[in-house]
Amino acid sequence: MYNATVAYSVIGVYLLGVCAAGMWGAWKHQQGFRHTSKKVQEHYVAGAGLATVAWFFTMSASLFSGYTVSGIVAEAYNLGWVATRWIPAGVGVYMGFLFMAPRLHALGKSRGYVTISEFLFDRYLPPSGAPWVAHVLRLVSFFALQLPIFTYLITQFQAMGTEVRTFTGGQISATTAVLVAAAILLVCDLLGGMRAVAYTDVLQGVVLFVGSIIFLVVQKTELGGLPDAAQFYRDPANAAAPNVALMQNIPPSSTIVAYWDFVFKTSIAATMFPHLSARLFAAKDAAVMRRGMATMNFSFFVVQLSSMITGWVAISALAGPLPKGTSVFSAVLTKVAAQGVGQTVLAALLLASAVCAMMSTADSALLAFSSMWVRDLFKPYLRKHASEGQQIWFGRLMSVIGLAIGVMLGLFTIEKGVPNLTGLFSLQNT
């Protein structure tokens, strides 16, 4: 058993850091409010003024969700080499953004877009189409995009609750972990909008990248890494061990077809996810996006590859079936933490990096959910003459409602075990 006091202290310091970054963002947000009449745009896209560092980290941290840490590790453990599909899919997403981003950013800056549905509405107004077509497309896209928003929220809370519960051996329940995270997210969303989210994403992104690199080292020094895992796979005595056959055999043709189907669907679908497209409207200028995206393609080979290697090494390091509801990632962390105080600090830091990925995506999804209700339904159809202040307060109300639904559904999926993370992401891509 590891030193729980050390582990909890590391995680506690991380949470305090997130709160401090969020409060700094909220203060900057309130300053922006006092100096602009476009309060809705300031709240939801930081007044279209995010610079390179903040934009890069908020985009990266929002994309690397809880699935990156919890789901991909489980995929690599349960599916073997098939988990590599995430790297070409991730690169494909940013290739899609390279085509979309310049035009969407330019239109967003000139017309004040906050959501992707606003672009669709303007695109099909006369003379491009009939007015009713533009309205139908806006409403259809509004309701259709609620699905990825909620699957993202549910995925983050499910992953967060499962990881913390597994790592602490049940001393911190999944419910407690989810509720604490939800409270922090809500405060950042209500008080600081996009600026608070982006500033916390900088901290969370740094921890996530550093944690991913550290774990590549820890897997080798503490668990033997891929060389020892390869020896384990080749040993005939381990042929019947869980998932070893996946690492020895070429996948069947149906799996290969499904692999590339996933890559293409993800590359197309993710470019429309509301919390990611909102970042295109939040960038200060086109140069910020170019620099950010040029760097992001390399990030997949750091963060996601580290998660895959964790899953492959876990096959040999854990060498046995895991109890139902146990996270592969946290099971590996527990094994590392049990080897000493230094290893406990590293394991806790790695758990914090996992929580980073989950919280950064959840707060982005919540903000996108709120903005869609304000700009795609409330202002154009329910209260056309609503003031900027009324729109902000309605958005805050929807944030509370959306978060409550996300938390309840997340806790439900943890308790029932279905759908799992893979099932949720597949649903999101449909």
Side-chain angles (χ1 to χ4, degrees), residues 227-253:
D228 283 10
Q231 290 292 336
F232 182 86
Y233 305 151
R234 287 195 290 264
D235 189 344
N238 299 322
N243 305 327
V244 167
L246 295 169
M247 307 302 294
Q248 296 175 327
N249 302 320
I250 297 174
S253 57

Side-chain angles (χ1 to χ4, degrees), residues 85-106:
R85 63 185 183 167
W86 283 95
I87 291 180
V91 173
V93 169
Y94 281 104
M95 288 178 64
F97 276 131
L98 286 175
F99 288 103
M100 293 174 53
R103 183 62 174 164
L104 280 177
H105 173 75

Side-chain angles (χ1 to χ4, degrees), residues 158 165 324 409-418:
Q158 185 190 69
R165 181 184 63 189
K324 184 178 180 181
L409 292 177
L411 293 175
F412 176 81
T413 60
I414 292 173
E415 180 182 350
K416 299 299 181 181
V418 290

Side-chain angles (χ1 to χ4, degrees), residues 72-122:
I72 293 181
V73 172
E75 269 198 30
Y77 180 81
N78 292 310
L79 302 178
W81 303 115
V82 173
T84 58
R85 63 185 183 167
W86 283 95
I87 291 180
V91 173
V93 169
Y94 281 104
M95 288 178 64
F97 276 131
L98 286 175
F99 288 103
M100 293 174 53
R103 183 62 174 164
L104 280 177
H105 173 75
L107 290 171
K109 291 285 279 190
S110 63
R111 301 181 185 181
Y113 291 155
V114 171
T115 71
I116 194 72
S117 298
E118 291 180 293
F119 161 74
L120 293 174
F121 177 76
D122 278 0

Side-chain angles (χ1 to χ4, degrees), residues 337-358:
Q339 298 181 33
V341 175
Q343 289 88 338
T344 300
V345 173
L346 289 175
L349 178 63
L350 295 167
L351 180 64
S353 73
V355 174
C356 284
M358 299 161 197

Side-chain angles (χ1 to χ4, degrees), residues 40 145 260 360 398 405 415:
V40 173
L145 291 173
W260 290 108
S360 61
M398 294 311 301
I405 295 172
E415 180 182 350

Side-chain angles (χ1 to χ4, degrees), residues 25-49 114 192-196 367 375 388 392:
W27 180 71
K28 297 288 287 184
H29 175 70
Q30 294 304 319
Q31 279 192 320
F33 254 34
R34 288 194 293 268
H35 296 93
T36 182
S37 59
K38 299 179 179 179
K39 290 181 169 49
V40 173
Q41 194 174 21
E42 169 64 31
H43 186 75
Y44 288 118
V45 291
V114 171
M194 175 66 85
R195 288 194 188 276
L367 194 66
R375 294 297 287 254
E388 296 275 321
I392 293 296

